Amino acid sequence: MSTIEINGTAVSYTAVGAGESVVLLHSSACAGGQWRDLQTDLDGRFRSVAPDLYGYGSTGVWRSNKALRLSDEADLVEAVVAQAAPGPVHLVGHSYGGAVALRLALDRRLAVRSLTVIEPVAFQLLRNWDPWGHGLYGEIQSLAEAVTAATTRGDAEAAMARFVDYWNGPGAWQDLGEHQRSALAAKASKVAMDFRAIFADSAIIEDFTEVDVPTLILCGGRSPMPARRIAGLLGVAMPNARLTVVMDAGHMVPLTHRNTVNPLIAEHVAKWALPDRRAA
């Protein structure tokens, strides 16, 4: 694992392999280690870089007096890329990492050869959508409010129980071991911060009609409807996008169905790599 300092905060990342770079952005309550198997799969063909976003893994917490925004996480990624993967990159993001990847694509601050987003939680895209979309926005807003309220009153376990059960189904929290619950509870305040960063983002769905990057959008057929609707909206809006649904999967599809998802990502990256880096 390597480290770079950004505004006084130690930011960690793992870089594996050589060649054209693939940058991997993890979900809330996880870290760059969620991509370990994919990094192994890509080794020998690509250089993969998996940073820990603020407050996760070995990266320090967000220390500024101003509220964290997706653009701040994008700044972190941009700095890691400048050190570990200069040049064009293939960008992959899951959930919160997917929302950060979309912000990077909108800002055009990296030379992105291909984009893969797995259920990007760009909930702000639902805010100005049709009446059904408003209902879905209210659903996810209620989740965020519950997580934030529990965190504020110091009940991190209740916050993460609500979060985990929403994304993985009722009872998922209780099925976890004590060590897993304790580790997740320690991330509750950052999860609440992630929600605020997402809701504060100004992007609307029409903005993505200008993002002409070859894009693979993945989602689980059993995921909560807000995440599935966002994937569908992006699939229509982005001019060079392809939506693939893993029918029997939920939101954590890159972990629960990695044997399906990792080859899809690797195939997409290889398709849009420079000719001398294409997979055989």
Side-chain angles (χ1 to χ4, degrees):
M1 181 166 286
S2 302
T3 303
I4 182 175
E5 185 173 301
I6 302 174
N7 297 325
T9 298
V11 173
S12 296
Y13 64 90
T14 301
V16 176
E20 210 165 320
S21 296
V22 183
V23 178
L24 307 167
L25 306 181
H26 63 81
S27 63
S28 287
C30 289
Q34 84 166 69
W35 301 111
R36 190 172 294 112
D37 286 353
L38 179 57
Q39 288 192 288
T40 298
D41 292 346
L42 294 173
D43 192 16
R45 295 178 292 163
F46 299 97
R47 176 173 176 79
S48 62
V49 179
D52 294 337
L53 299 174
Y54 282 111
Y56 294 124
S58 297
T59 291
V61 298
W62 176 250
R63 298 188 181 279
S64 173
N65 290 327
K66 70 169 185 147
L68 177 72
R69 296 291 182 257
L70 291 181
S71 58
D72 298 310
E73 301 277 23
D75 289 342
L76 178 154
V77 176
E78 187 177 15
V80 170
V81 168
Q83 173 164 302
V89 301
H90 301 268
L91 194 56
V92 179
H94 170 227
S95 192
Y96 181 64
V100 175
L102 291 175
R103 173 45 55 194
L104 282 159
L106 282 174
D107 290 348
R108 294 179 169 82
R109 49 168 99 191
L110 296 176
V112 180
R113 292 194 58 81
S114 77
L115 175 65
T116 301
V117 285
I118 308 165
E119 294 201 12
V121 291
F123 299 126
Q124 76 280 6
L125 300 182
L126 298 173
R127 189 163 42 216
N128 299 315
W129 196 54
D130 68 13
W132 188 32
H134 283 295
L136 296 181
Y137 182 75
E139 177 180 322
I140 205 69
Q141 192 174 40
S142 294
L143 172 65
E145 289 171 354
V147 170
T148 300
T151 302
T152 300
R153 68 174 181 263
D155 194 349
E157 286 219 357
M160 292 308 292
R162 180 70 181 270
F163 182 78
V164 169
D165 281 359
Y166 179 82
W167 289 114
N168 298 277
W173 175 258
Q174 287 301 321
D175 289 341
L176 297 174
E178 182 178 349
H179 176 74
Q180 290 174 296
R181 291 198 298 268
S182 177
L184 285 168
K187 301 171 183 176
S189 61
K190 180 53 172 42
V191 170
M193 191 180 295
D194 293 349
F195 274 121
R196 292 193 292 273
I198 293 164
F199 290 137
D201 195 77
S202 61
I204 59 176
I205 193 61
E206 288 78 8
D207 294 335
F208 290 93
T209 62
E210 304 297 322
V211 179
D212 193 19
V213 176
T215 300
L216 172 64
I217 303 169
L218 295 171
C219 79
R222 296 182 178 176
S223 291
M225 184 56 74
R228 284 189 279 158
R229 177 53 50 189
I230 291 166
L233 289 171
L234 289 168
V236 172
M238 299 178 76
N240 200 1
R242 173 170 56 95
L243 173 62
T244 297
V245 179
V246 183
M247 293 306 299
D248 61 339
H251 183 64
M252 299 308 292
V253 58
L255 295 176
T256 61
H257 291 65
R258 67 190 68 189
N259 290 339
T260 298
V261 169
N262 287 357
L264 290 172
I265 296 172
E267 178 185 13
H268 181 66
V269 168
K271 179 178 180 179
W272 298 105
L274 293 173
D276 62 340
R277 297 305 304 170
R278 294 183 192 274

